[in-house]
Amino acid sequence: MKLPEFIQRRSNAFILLLVYLFFSSILAYIHTSKNDSFIVIRFLLILSTTFCLFLFIHILIKSRRHFVVIIGTLFLFLLLSEINYLIYFGEFISEGVLDSITETSTDEAFSMLKPVLFIMVPALIVTVGILFIYKKFITVKFRPILPLTLYIVIGSICMSVNTNIKNDTHKDYRLKLLVLREFYPAVLGNVVYLGVTSFSTDIYADTSEIEVFNDAVILPPQNLNDDLVVLIMGESSLVSRYSAYGYHKPTTPLMAEIFNQKNGGCIINNSHSSASFTRDSIPMTLSFNIPESNDNLFINKSIIEMAKYNNYKTYWLASYRQAIKGSSNAKFGFIARKSDILDFTDKDHDVNLSELLERHLEKDNAPKKFIFIHLRGSHQPYSDGYDDIDKQALPDAEDYDLTIHHTDRTVKAIYDVINKYSRNYSIIYTSDHGEIVNVGHGMSRGIDQFLIPFMFISTNNRFDCQFIESFRSSNGYLSGLMNKYILSNLLGYQIDQAILDKEKNNDRILLPNHHNILFLDYLELNKQP
């Protein structure tokens, strides 16, 4: 016996609602449990907003107006992209990932095209399939008033509740954005976050000199004999892939020779970065920025400005893929634009950075120079990070190892130029962060994205291996948070020992969700079962 049409429609509508509720429950549960705790009220709120999103998408794509259908299709595509990101990386999109989207350069954005395609192409295919099914076979329609009312009510409640998120002097708007993302994790929170932050990078546009030194800095600075201080910053460089640290393939024979103790150099073990994103780690190297807050970035002199104060001419040299244009790379670009010279290569490979360095050194008679060199390094796609010489040297190596070998050649070429033009120098080679090979970095889990090399050599006997070791934490690790203090000493500044000891033994890292955690706690969380 055939059911009456209105009963059939209600039955179909009920089935659809159950399907939406089922998928919403799964997403809400995963999101609620991501901090290793399950809170029922949070789960119910997230379940409600996610369920409403499913209803909104249904309502939009069933509209008779083409423009409304396009909006619904876009939201469906974004939702499926987020789900695919969750499947691909095993976690939700973090604030760090979104910040990197709004603050990255065009070249770096294109370099991440491959993983983006793995996420978006399947999402696009499924979107087209769902759209076809809904247009051809689904006749159920819902009214928007109930989900819209629920959406707004939950939003009003969430935005009025106090949170424990630290308010940042220059980014207090983030407080509400983080709350919004917490309770509207599906599409809306991310879209609003991207929209607001993309228009907020003007806080990094000011290039005027900051007058105030950090409390840790003791004035006045000394006039050292070193006429050249060079920091070579690698990119996405995992220490366990360096033959200088025991890797079985000869990826870094040249650096092993340069930084050998017989040469007066140091190859430092157990070093880790302060963050797993470039935009966060470099500011914590070149300014007194800390994981808890960005305040010091704006109120204290950076290492660049401190170098200039002590009569060093400052250079920021980088691969064109790390170029700083306008407000892109905004957070560390805020520091870079304080340099006397800001210049980039116009060639593909890092080894050409030595030519750029030589062009500047051969024509510059400034008695003292501080030079920051930012490599493209081992950033994805790895196939762009090496050349035929590397392939000939390591014919059976995988792409990532070849990028490390290319970095080895790059550092050697830079070292040779430095020796050609200076006899009094200090050189640091380290990396902004590590890499989970063939996955990437900026993930909530994965210790490899923090494990980095640290190598040092100086012609000044005051700055030996024991000097570097003095910055090691009581936990046995040298943190990227110490880079600013090491550089301060190399540039002639003394550091208040009490402040240094406090920072040194409070070894924490910044996670992609903008929370910080003690490094040893993170190490414990990431131990292999």
Side-chain angles (χ1 to χ4, degrees):
M1 179 177 177
K2 188 175 181 180
L3 291 172
E5 186 177 345
F6 79 94
I7 296 179
Q8 184 67 45
R9 285 201 306 268
R10 290 191 172 224
S11 176
N12 292 339
F14 182 70
I15 292 171
L16 268 177
L17 289 174
L18 287 178
V19 170
Y20 295 155
L21 186 62
F22 174 73
F23 285 114
S24 300
S25 299
I26 293 174
L27 292 176
Y29 179 79
I30 296 172
H31 187 85
T32 308
S33 302
K34 71 181 189 299
N35 294 322
D36 300 320
S37 62
F38 183 85
I39 301 174
V40 175
I41 294 177
R42 181 184 295 163
F43 169 76
L44 293 175
L45 287 172
I46 295 172
L47 171 63
S48 300
T49 59
T50 307
F51 179 66
C52 286
L53 177 69
F54 276 95
L55 287 179
F56 284 138
I57 292 174
H58 179 109
I59 292 166
L60 292 171
I61 64 178
K62 290 301 294 180
S63 173
R64 293 180 179 179
R65 298 179 181 178
H66 293 306
F67 178 70
V68 176
V69 174
I70 290 172
I71 294 175
T73 303
L74 176 61
F75 271 76
L76 175 60
F77 170 70
L78 292 175
L79 175 62
L80 291 172
S81 295
E82 291 182 10
I83 292 172
N84 205 27
Y85 183 97
L86 173 62
I87 295 170
Y88 187 81
F89 289 111
E91 61 184 63
F92 285 99
I93 299 172
S94 68
E95 288 91 15
V97 170
L98 296 175
D99 286 335
S100 293
I101 291 173
T102 58
E103 296 186 12
T104 192
S105 66
T106 304
D107 290 315
E108 189 167 356
F110 274 109
S111 74
M112 296 300 292
L113 192 58
K114 185 177 179 181
V116 169
L117 288 177
F118 277 136
I119 294 166
M120 290 192 167
V121 170
L124 181 60
I125 293 171
V126 176
T127 299
V128 172
I130 291 176
L131 193 63
F132 174 79
I133 292 171
Y134 269 65
K135 285 299 183 181
K136 287 291 184 180
F137 304 107
I138 304 296
T139 58
V140 175
K141 291 188 176 182
F142 298 111
R143 294 182 179 180
I145 186 66
L146 183 60
L148 183 61
T149 302
L150 184 60
Y151 224 50
I152 293 173
V153 169
I154 293 174
S156 300
I157 293 172
C158 294
M159 299 303 279
S160 64
V161 173
N162 290 327
T163 72
N164 293 322
I165 300 172
K166 183 174 176 60
N167 191 2
D168 194 288
T169 301
H170 289 266
K171 290 196 172 186
D172 54 1
Y173 65 87
R174 284 186 183 272
L175 182 66
K176 293 187 180 297
L177 289 179
L178 294 175
V179 172
L180 185 70
R181 287 197 73 243
E182 176 63 28
F183 294 102
Y184 291 77
V187 181
L188 181 68
N190 290 335
V191 169
V192 173
Y193 189 96
L194 280 173
V196 174
T197 54
S198 63
F199 290 104
S200 66
T201 54
D202 58 339
I203 63 171
Y204 301 119
D206 185 7
T207 58
S208 59
E209 184 178 350
I210 296 173
E211 297 296 332
V212 179
F213 286 86
N214 185 266
D215 291 342
V217 178
I218 298 173
L219 296 173
Q222 299 172 311
N223 185 18
L224 301 178
N225 291 329
D226 293 15
D227 57 22
L228 190 59
V229 178
V230 181
L231 171 59
I232 306 171
M233 182 64 74
E235 171 68 45
S236 308
S237 215
L238 175 60
V239 66
S240 61
R241 294 300 185 97
Y242 280 59
S243 57
Y245 286 89
Y247 188 52
H248 64 280
K249 293 183 180 178
T251 52
T252 55
L254 301 175
M255 278 193 277
E257 182 180 343
I258 293 169
F259 297 101
N260 191 291
Q261 277 196 319
K262 294 179 180 177
N263 261 359
C266 319
I267 297 176
I268 302 297
N269 291 307
N270 294 335
S271 179
H272 71 80
S273 63
S274 55
S276 59
F277 277 119
T278 306
R279 68 175 299 277
D280 294 317
S281 64
I282 288 184
M284 287 190 279
T285 281
L286 291 176
S287 78
F288 289 84
N289 210 34
I290 54 176
E292 293 80 4
S293 170
N294 289 325
D295 289 356
N296 290 347
L297 181 66
F298 301 101
I299 64 178
N300 290 154
K301 281 185 181 292
S302 67
I303 295 298
I304 299 288
E305 292 167 294
M306 287 170 60
K308 292 166 74 172
Y309 184 88
N310 202 20
N311 301 312
Y312 284 83
K313 187 170 182 178
T314 56
Y315 288 82
W316 187 291
L317 309 179
S319 158
Y320 82 89
R321 292 179 183 270
Q322 308 291 359
I324 296 167
K325 304 169 185 175
S327 61
S328 66
N329 302 117
K331 194 174 182 182
F332 65 82
F334 175 76
I335 301 171
R337 285 188 287 270
K338 303 293 181 74
S339 302
D340 294 311
I341 303 293
L342 190 65
D343 202 0
F344 311 98
T345 62
D346 56 1
K347 298 179 180 179
D348 281 340
H349 295 111
D350 281 345
V351 72
N352 297 298
L353 279 164
S354 62
E355 298 174 7
L356 180 66
L357 175 63
E358 183 158 23
R359 282 202 302 271
H360 285 288
L361 291 183
E362 68 183 358
K363 65 182 180 182
D364 192 338
N365 294 321
K368 298 198 297 182
K369 306 176 189 71
F370 172 64
I371 302 175
F372 176 79
I373 303 176
H374 192 188
L375 310 186
R376 181 223 178 264
S378 300
H379 199 285
Q380 290 182 321
Y382 307 139
S383 57
D384 290 349
Y386 60 85
D387 58 23
D388 289 339
I389 296 175
D390 302 300
K391 286 193 287 187
Q392 291 169 7
L394 297 175
D396 298 324
E398 62 179 287
D399 285 351
Y400 186 81
D401 290 346
L402 293 175
T403 67
I404 300 294
H405 187 269
H406 191 82
T407 295
D408 185 57
R409 291 169 49 217
T410 299
V411 172
K412 176 62 164 66
I414 291 171
Y415 176 75
D416 288 343
V417 170
I418 291 170
N419 270 284
K420 181 178 177 180
Y421 290 93
S422 176
R423 289 292 174 264
N424 299 303
Y425 57 78
S426 294
I427 305 170
I428 294 174
Y429 169 73
T430 187
S431 183
D432 54 357
H433 51 76
E435 180 84 344
I436 305 172
V437 177
N438 295 319
V439 175
H441 53 270
M443 306 290 111
S444 61
R445 295 290 182 95
I447 195 64
D448 282 356
Q449 61 190 330
F450 288 95
L451 302 180
I452 57 173
F454 190 103
M455 304 184 191
F456 175 75
I457 189 168
S458 178
T459 58
N460 189 328
N461 292 331
R462 289 178 52 188
F463 302 127
D464 55 11
C465 296
Q466 189 54 46
F467 162 73
I468 299 296
E469 289 293 339
S470 69
F471 292 90
R472 191 179 293 278
S473 171
S474 56
N475 66 13
Y477 282 86
L478 177 66
S479 168
L481 292 173
M482 293 297 102
N483 291 342
K484 62 178 73 66
Y485 300 111
I486 294 171
L487 289 167
S488 295
N489 280 173
L490 295 178
L491 293 169
Y493 292 89
Q494 296 299 306
I495 298 297
D496 183 290
Q497 193 62 43
I499 295 176
L500 177 60
D501 288 342
K502 182 179 178 180
E503 279 292 286
K504 181 171 61 176
N505 294 312
N506 182 22
D507 183 10
R508 69 274 192 213
I509 54 176
L510 180 65
L511 298 179
N513 62 5
H514 291 170
H515 296 157
N516 63 82
I517 183 174
L518 291 175
F519 179 72
L520 285 189
D521 289 346
Y522 186 80
L523 192 64
E524 184 67 26
L525 285 172
N526 285 271
K527 278 187 176 179
Q528 295 293 332

